[in-house]
Amino acid sequence: MSRQTSDRLARRLTRILLLIPYAIKHPGISVDELSTRFGIKRDDLVEDLNLLFMCGLPGYGPGDLIDVDFDSGHVYVRMADYFATPLRLTPVEALALYAGGAAMASMPEMDEADALRRALAKLATALGTTDEGASIVDVRFEADPSDHLKTIQDALATHKRLRIEYFSASSGEQSTREIDPWTLYAALGRWYLIGFDHRSGEERMFRVDRIKSAEMLDADAEIPADFDPNAYSAAFRERPGQPTATFEISPRAGRWFEEYYPVRAGQTLADGWRSIELAYSKPQWVAALVLSLGDDVRAVAPGEVAAAVTELATEIAALYA
Amino acid sequence: MRRIERLINLIAALLETEQPMTADDIRRRIQGYETDNHELFRRTFERDKADLKAMGIPLELRHLDVFGDAAPGYIIPKTSYYLPEIDFQPDEVAALRIAATAVLGVEEQAGSGVMKLSMGAIDDTSSGARLAWNADVAASQPLLGPLYSAVADRVPVTFDYQPAGIDKPAGRRVEPYALVHRKGHWYLVGRDDRSDETRTFKVARITGGVKRTDGTYEIPAGFSAEEHLVAPVGAGEDLIARVRFDPSLRWWPEQNLAGAAASEGPDGSYDVEMPAASLDALTAFAVWWGSKVEVLEPPEAREHMKARLAHALDR
């Protein structure tokens, strides 16, 4: 069986082992509500329930099989007391909650911060993951020393436009821009603002620590109806039509490089170096990256990126002459 | 009978049984395993066991008699399977639910986690306001699960580890104390057998898998993971650089390095002392600002930068 099939099976089984105790705790819950609760299609839920008719304890007679009834549109699960309490949290479930909670606790002025702290403490005690108060999982985000996070959050909450002064590493310039904020996003321990940049007429991502000032405007911000924050589950998102830079990277740098950057494709060469493809929007961005890698990188292409490396190096070299 | 039905039957039987069931019991009594072909049964059962373990289901093998004559048996202990009762207040469940929607990459697991914790809750806050922010904590990294279990169970682990700049991985045996997330990366802090010291390991540099070993240990009283973190994530940076910011960028150190020693430079520039993890990290930091940031000290940092520039211009 392939890994993928196995994963799908594991996900379904996990869901069913959660579905049973939920249905037992809520006898008579409607099929529709149950499918909403679990975020699955009605047909998929019915398929899961149908499967249970065949399951139960050795003997597998009428008194041994799980009793499932949902003909009336209301779900009753009986004869499955051993499944009435859910499986303890899996490691990844516990980690996801701790990590999400820690990220949340790092936000300024969260109303829920106190309740969250209590919840995580109870969780840690129940799971035995605390040792005299020191949690075995410790997630921390860099605090924002300015008030920008607060201002951006206010603008997001009230759907207002922002005016920011921003230093762009890819252009080496500082500028004032008006932004319709869509979301705040934390990755690699930093906060990013994502939104529509009226100056360039494009969707852009801004590092919050490189914002010099942020001010909320009276103008309303537009957020696309189909905006999906989940599209940002990698720190950098490739936009359609972006050009590709290619270069080769040493075995020493290759290992961590592919963890950090949005590498589109990589291939190991005969001498152990990796040939890498990377989507970019501004050649200056790749140039800074290449410069910072020093002699761990070679064979930079295309020409506009190689030219940008030379240009940036020449510009910086003037400081050290 | 489909595989998923067989697995549900296996979990039900091993959870409900009072005596551990031998492989032979399982083959004869649990629906879905009946076959006269020993080899087929063995393969099927091995695969099922592996899948249940991967899902976090606590399947245990027990020896039924001390002399080891009888075949060992399998059981899923209720105390290990069932989630302990936790008495959450409604606002605590609501806060967890918000936290669960904020993590990217593992939303599904966070969601099922909250569902388990709020089984009996009748409130309907599932359609709460959409969060205006999200966090990617890289919790989907596959080794985190096994490492987390090891710390929670206090079980020493072995793995192959390849530190930065080293060409070949080497085997380690570690008593894990804590998992720490800093700047987008996960670290394992624990006692390293080889050096008999508390060490920090970057999870992404563990090659291959993590194996549990025999034995157990205690986390030392007063242990603090923070004290053992090393640069670039910890406080122990050993390089202090002096860096000159262009007048137009004076706000950056003022906003982000408040409290750092600073002095006025020529023509309105601003000289700031800042910690750096390494010469590489310092150079990378400086080049991102183009010609608006100059590394002044230490001299070896300037030489490092010059070498990088010369290499690039020589290409």
Side-chain angles (χ1 to χ4, degrees), chain A residues 1 6 9-14 16-18 21-22 26 37-38 51 54-58 60 82-83 85-101 103-104 107 112 115-116 118-120 122-123 126-127 129 131 136-142 145-146 148 156 167 169 172 174 183-186 188-189 191 209-212 229-230 232-233 252 255-256 259-260 285 288 290-295 297 310 313-317 319-320, chain B residues 1-5 7-9 11-13 15-16 29-31 51 55 57-58 80-84 86-88 91-92 95-96 98-100 103-104 106-110 112-117 119 121 123-124 130 132-137 144-145 148-149 151-152 154 162 165 177-186 202 204-205 207 219 226 248-249 251-252 255-256 280 284 287-295 302 305-306 308-309 311-313 315:
Chain A
M1 177 173 291
S6 223
L9 178 102
R11 280 166 65 180
R12 186 165 180 217
L13 188 50
T14 300
I16 289 172
L17 292 178
L18 191 49
Y22 197 86
H26 301 268
R37 277 273 153 174
F38 280 79
L51 187 111
M54 304 292 291
C55 301
L57 294 174
Y60 306 100
Y82 43 89
F83 281 144
T85 305
L87 174 63
R88 63 182 176 174
L89 295 190
T90 65
V92 179
E93 285 169 347
L95 265 171
L97 285 180
Y98 277 127
M104 186 166 142
M107 291 295 282
E112 294 83 359
L116 183 71
R118 278 184 275 122
L120 293 178
K122 282 183 186 176
L123 195 57
L127 301 178
T129 52
D131 224 53
I136 60 164
V137 180
D138 175 355
V139 178
R140 219 168 291 175
F141 278 80
E142 260 168 73
S146 63
H148 302 336
L156 282 165
F167 179 86
Q174 204 156 268
T183 192
L184 264 174
Y185 171 71
L188 302 180
W191 287 98
D209 75 294
R210 293 202 177 139
I211 294 176
K212 180 182 179 188
N230 293 314
Y232 294 90
S233 59
R252 184 180 89 101
R255 281 181 53 80
W256 63 263
E259 295 160 20
Y260 279 88
W285 179 81
V290 165
L291 260 193
S292 68
L293 284 165
D295 52 11
V297 64
T310 307
T314 309
E315 187 195 316
I316 298 174
L319 295 172
Y320 298 88
Chain B
M1 163 153 291
R2 279 185 296 174
R3 179 145 190 254
I4 191 157
E5 291 163 330
L7 288 172
I8 294 173
N9 283 336
I11 299 166
L15 195 54
E16 194 63 0
R29 301 190 49 215
I30 299 181
Q31 203 158 16
D51 272 5
M55 283 175 57
I57 291 170
S80 316
Y81 181 97
Y82 292 139
L83 181 74
I86 311 177
D87 185 22
F88 284 117
D91 66 333
E92 293 165 355
L96 281 178
I98 297 177
V103 277
L104 292 181
V106 284
E107 308 93 313
E108 204 175 293
Q109 290 90 338
S112 59
V114 175
M115 186 77 98
K116 286 178 181 178
L117 297 173
M119 271 284 142
D123 65 326
D124 191 45
R130 188 180 74 78
W133 57 273
N134 293 93
D136 181 354
V137 287
L144 284 180
Y148 174 88
S149 306
V151 192
R154 310 282 191 271
Q162 183 169 13
Y177 294 164
L179 278 171
V180 179
H181 181 270
R182 292 287 186 279
K183 296 190 182 176
H185 295 272
W186 284 96
K202 189 171 183 182
R205 295 193 194 280
T207 59
I219 299 177
E226 188 71 33
S248 66
L249 277 182
W251 60 270
W252 192 85
Q255 232 171 61
N256 293 285
D280 277 348
V287 303
W288 281 106
W289 302 96
S291 59
K292 293 195 162 56
V293 166
E294 177 183 357
V295 178
R302 280 184 76 85
M305 174 65 93
K306 284 186 193 173
R308 289 271 145 114
L309 296 168
H311 180 82
L313 291 170
R315 209 184 298 267

Side-chain angles (χ1 to χ4, degrees), chain A residues 232-256:
Chain A
Y232 294 90
S233 59
F236 306 87
R237 189 164 75 132
E238 197 179 322
R239 285 189 294 271
Q242 276 189 310
T244 305
T246 61
F247 49 81
E248 291 168 14
I249 191 163
S250 75
R252 184 180 89 101
R255 281 181 53 80
W256 63 263

Side-chain angles (χ1 to χ4, degrees), chain A residues 184-202:
Chain A
L184 264 174
Y185 171 71
L188 302 180
R190 288 194 195 101
W191 287 98
Y192 295 84
L193 162 66
I194 293 158
F196 183 82
D197 172 25
H198 288 273
R199 187 165 170 269
S200 62
E202 284 178 356

